[in-house]
Amino acid sequence: MTVAGRSASELYQRYVNLSPVAGVEPVTVERGRGAELWDVDGRRYLDCFAGISVVSTGHSHPRVVEAAREQMERFIHCGSLLYEVPVVGELAARLAEVSPGALQKTFFSNSGAEAVEGAMRLARAFTGRTEFIALETGFHGRTNATLAVTGNRKRKQHGGPYLGGVAFAPAPHLTRCRVCGGACTLRCADAVEDVINYHTSGNVAAFIAEPVLGEAGIVVPHPDYFRRVKEILDRHGILLIVDEVQTGFGRTGRMFGIEHFGVEPDIMTMAKGIASGFPLGGFIARPEIADAFQPGEHLSTFGGNPVSCAAAVATLDVIEDERLCENSARLGEWLLAKLERVAARQQAITEVRGKGLMVGIELGDRGGATTAAQQAVQVRAACRERGLIIGVGGFFGNVLRIQPPLVITEEQLASAVATLDEALTATA
Ligand SMILES: Cc1ncc(COP(=O)(O)O)c(C=O)c1O
């Protein structure tokens, strides 16, 4: 691909501000279909990262493309809260149908961070309170308010001081819980009450958490964690905001990650997989909470873009018709079992964990010259050289992330596991 005779790499280096990113992968993408991508030289890749866990129905699913094209031909933008747009209303109704409990009214944004910021504002408006509790190692976006509730020093670097009135509770971890000292005994959940009592003024609007902590390294809480926390929050009149930006839309094997934990959030945020790659986010709440905003208090020019909303309706149709939640649940289990076998051979792996097609492979430091985080980057490169795209993340940068499009097949995943195994051996 050239612009005025120059390659995309050259243009990127010269004109795209790459300073805040850890490094662009040396793949110049030309097209994608399903779980596969092709570069400008015609080289094929199996995509097991889906654009950071976004293209839920796969690259350019024909039904998503068609829905977006149809809407584009009608009109692209008019202000979805200035005028009524049929497809925006349709999407909101569909979201109410698939969301847990009595969540009903959605406010649409363009991204995950905006959805979280809006949810925080709504919690303040409804409760009349100002403070928040978030989780250590949790991640909620890169804007000022979302970084304030992000429990990760590296992400927050050079941005402070952040919004005051944010306290952090210990991160839950099913197998290696810092507070519980190993396998989780829910002491970490009980600690939320201590945080309320010792670290806040009691004026807490909401507790915000991801059902599975994605950027922290795909960390899965104890199955009773959220039930226990919700009991504490209810006693103190604190709302539960569940951040489903990464876990939503089938990623964990259910439509929303919180469904694994048997609690109903008061407010839920969404983005990433909602529209198969079109920019869209939103937060949904029960009507009595949603209606706490006063006229003029919140708006987004592009929020609820009709083309993105049409793509989102088609995404929900595809998730249902192609049974993608079921595919994610089944292949997730299958993948964990296969990776456990790889882990038994590969000494670098300290844990394999996840839910549905949201799987993390944690590498450990083994005292050599190469750290686990460095090896993770090497494994990603070795996979890429073999035609497989994976992610790297985690609080310490030592987790390989497998979060493919939900349309991926068992056969494709089997080839991914074989490639990963090879890459681990090559970098051992
Ligand atoms: C749980 C969670 N919340 C919020 C965000 C921010 O979303 P966006 O990058 O669309 O602003 C992310 C992004 O990774 C996320 O994982």
Side-chain angles (χ1 to χ4, degrees):
M1 170 79 79
T2 58
V3 176
R6 288 181 290 175
S7 71
S9 311
E10 207 185 321
L11 296 170
Y12 256 60
Q13 293 308 322
R14 202 169 166 87
Y15 298 110
V16 178
N17 186 352
L18 298 172
S19 65
V21 294
V24 179
E25 290 281 279
V27 176
T28 307
V29 181
E30 188 174 67
R31 66 193 170 90
R33 192 41 77 110
E36 293 176 323
L37 285 173
W38 284 264
D39 73 9
V40 285
D41 300 318
R43 173 135 201 241
R44 187 174 63 86
Y45 296 85
L46 177 59
D47 181 6
C48 280
F49 202 32
I52 324 186
S53 203
V54 169
V55 282
S56 43
T57 61
H59 293 284
S60 297
H61 192 291
R63 289 176 69 184
V64 174
V65 171
E66 190 45 38
R69 192 200 325 269
E70 228 176 66
Q71 180 58 44
M72 269 193 288
E73 278 166 7
R74 280 175 219 273
F75 69 98
I76 293 172
H77 172 87
C78 67
S80 300
L81 288 180
L82 282 184
Y83 309 99
E84 293 160 0
V85 181
V87 76
V88 177
E90 186 184 348
L91 175 61
R94 292 287 298 278
L95 290 172
E97 254 173 43
V98 299
S99 292
L103 297 177
Q104 186 182 321
K105 289 188 170 180
T106 299
F107 186 98
F108 290 110
S109 65
N110 307 284
S111 67
E114 279 175 81
V116 172
E117 284 232 24
M120 290 170 68
R121 288 198 67 191
L122 179 60
R124 281 179 158 178
F126 177 72
T127 60
R129 300 176 178 187
T130 54
E131 296 176 39
F132 294 95
I133 298 175
L135 289 180
E136 291 170 358
T137 76
F139 179 79
H140 300 286
R142 307 278 193 155
T143 59
N144 225 274
T146 55
L147 280 169
V149 290
T150 285
N152 183 328
R153 171 179 153 182
K154 246 203 219 148
R155 298 279 179 268
K156 294 167 100 140
Q157 218 166 295
H158 298 139
Y162 292 99
L163 177 77
V166 179
F168 286 89
H173 193 311
L174 184 57
T175 52
R176 278 185 279 128
C177 199
R178 195 160 64 81
V179 169
C180 304
C184 184
T185 59
L186 295 178
R187 272 173 58 192
C188 56
D190 294 336
V192 171
E193 188 132 41
D194 292 339
V195 173
I196 297 168
N197 291 331
Y198 304 136
H199 299 280
T200 76
S201 73
N203 196 33
V204 181
F207 170 93
I208 179 164
E210 304 155 78
V212 174
L213 287 80
E215 302 302 298
I218 321 251
V219 172
V220 184
H222 186 291
D224 292 326
Y225 176 79
F226 282 99
R227 243 191 307 262
R228 184 79 69 94
V229 168
K230 185 81 168 81
E231 281 165 22
I232 296 167
L233 300 179
D234 286 347
R235 247 187 286 125
H236 291 267
I238 297 171
L239 300 182
L240 171 63
I241 302 176
V242 166
D243 183 353
E244 293 272 3
V245 165
Q246 192 162 154
T247 44
F249 302 96
R251 175 55 56 196
T252 69
R254 308 287 285 268
M255 187 59 91
F256 293 102
I258 198 65
E259 292 172 35
H260 295 283
F261 298 93
V263 301
E264 285 177 20
D266 298 297
I267 307 175
M268 186 173 85
T269 60
M270 306 165 272
K272 287 198 189 276
I274 188 171
S276 299
F278 283 84
L280 185 68
F283 53 99
I284 185 167
R286 292 197 303 275
E288 71 272 21
I289 296 178
D291 293 344
F293 277 142
Q294 296 305 305
E297 263 183 15
H298 203 57
L299 192 75
S300 160
T301 300
F302 291 120
N305 172 267
V307 181
S308 295
C309 287
V313 169
T315 296
L316 285 173
D317 287 341
V318 171
I319 289 175
E320 272 171 33
D321 294 349
E322 298 187 16
R323 303 178 64 81
L324 296 187
C325 290
E326 291 82 348
N327 200 48
S328 173
R330 184 181 69 79
L331 287 184
E333 290 278 315
W334 180 93
L335 179 60
L336 284 177
K338 290 278 175 219
L339 289 173
E340 285 297 350
R341 280 201 235 152
V342 173
R345 278 197 303 279
Q346 298 285 354
Q347 285 177 7
I349 299 178
T350 47
E351 189 170 63
V352 172
R353 57 184 180 242
K355 276 215 177 290
L357 287 173
M358 183 171 182
V359 169
I361 303 157
E362 188 181 86
L363 307 184
D365 280 323
R366 286 181 296 149
T370 307
T371 64
Q374 286 166 337
Q375 192 187 352
V377 171
Q378 290 170 1
V379 172
R380 178 177 61 187
C383 284
R384 188 184 63 239
E385 284 156 16
R386 292 164 173 77
L388 172 67
I389 290 176
I390 62 166
V392 166
F395 189 80
F396 299 106
N398 60 338
V399 179
L400 307 173
R401 295 170 62 178
I402 312 291
Q403 298 176 260
L406 307 181
V407 291
I408 198 164
T409 64
E410 187 175 310
E411 200 185 359
Q412 286 174 319
L413 265 186
S415 94
V417 172
T419 305
L420 193 67
D421 199 3
E422 249 181 72
L424 280 158
T425 302
T427 58

